[in-house]
Amino acid sequence: TGLFDKLLHNVLRKFTQTIDLKYTFTVPVSEFLRGELFCEDVSELIGKSFTQTNLISILLDDFLYQAQHKRNLYNLYRELHSGIQHPIEIFHYSGVHEILHINHETQRNKAIDCTINRKKALRLEVILSDLANLEPEVTFSVNDVLQFIYCQFIQKYKEGTLTNELKNIVKRLA
């Protein structure tokens, strides 16, 4: 029966759909709008719809590739730690515990809902688990990383340092 079970399992895997997981993170409205504009530009060039979810999926693919093949975990931790805002915990001498959320700018935010293939999300969770083993005091969530890679991309796009990125994405989609 072991061979039959294995065969049945393989056949069922081919016919079942991949599982997508939903994530939500917030970004400043100005970055969301710039992302929408970028996606519209890609849509025009490829002649079909290209959404923020598609962009995030490509950015996540690149992040996962670099994290798995080219990066030292300590360097990855430092990059994420420097780019992701965490609340500051203050312990007063009187024993009072307080958490401060520091926001340097007061700006409107927009929530981005995206779906990610379960396998990609699992790969990211494994990387985040490895990072948590390095520095257990500060941990990152999938939402944190999605927000980080999106905002980092949009910031570089805004500054003009991603001159060939539009062409590279169009080439990947062709």
Side-chain angles (χ1 to χ4, degrees):
T1 63
L3 181 61
F4 177 74
D5 289 340
K6 189 174 182 180
L7 179 65
L8 181 63
H9 175 71
N10 287 337
V11 169
L12 287 176
R13 280 187 62 195
K14 289 184 190 264
F15 289 111
T16 57
Q17 294 181 348
T18 59
I19 298 172
D20 290 333
L21 303 175
K22 184 177 178 180
Y23 293 95
T24 301
F25 61 94
T26 59
V27 297
V29 171
S30 61
E31 291 184 9
F32 175 82
L33 293 174
R34 196 171 303 275
E36 280 290 307
L37 181 61
F38 182 85
C39 291
E40 286 293 321
D41 290 344
V42 173
S43 291
E44 286 179 14
L45 290 171
I46 65 173
K48 62 181 183 178
S49 177
F50 183 81
T51 65
Q52 298 262 15
T53 297
N54 301 129
L55 175 61
I56 292 164
S57 180
I58 288 173
L59 296 175
L60 182 58
D61 287 343
D62 290 346
F63 178 84
L64 291 173
Y65 178 82
Q66 289 185 19
Q68 291 173 343
H69 295 98
K70 296 185 176 180
R71 292 215 174 156
N72 175 316
L73 279 180
Y74 282 106
N75 291 340
L76 179 59
Y77 173 83
R78 281 192 289 278
E79 184 179 346
L80 289 173
H81 190 266
S82 68
I84 296 175
Q85 297 266 335
H86 289 283
I88 297 174
E89 293 186 50
I90 299 174
F91 295 94
H92 297 282
Y93 288 111
S94 64
V96 176
H97 177 238
E98 162 180 18
I99 297 178
L100 295 178
H101 294 273
I102 297 177
N103 187 4
H104 297 291
E105 302 173 24
T106 32
Q107 54 188 335
R108 294 182 330 174
N109 288 324
K110 172 78 173 149
I112 296 179
D113 295 322
C114 64
T115 54
I116 297 175
N117 176 287
R118 181 184 176 279
K119 189 173 182 177
K120 284 184 197 179
L122 186 58
R123 286 185 197 278
L124 181 55
E125 288 284 353
V126 167
I127 292 168
L128 295 178
S129 175
D130 291 345
L131 291 175
N133 288 335
L134 291 176
E135 296 289 338
E137 297 83 31
V138 178
T139 58
F140 307 106
S141 69
V142 170
N143 289 339
D144 290 336
V145 174
L146 294 176
Q147 180 185 38
F148 173 76
I149 61 176
Y150 180 87
C151 290
Q152 186 180 46
F153 174 82
I154 295 299
Q155 188 61 37
K156 289 179 180 178
Y157 181 65
K158 179 181 174 182
E159 294 168 354
T161 58
L162 297 176
T163 54
N164 294 326
E165 203 58 36
L166 186 62
K167 291 177 189 174
N168 291 340
I169 287 177
V170 169
K171 190 186 302 183
R172 281 174 79 167
L173 296 171

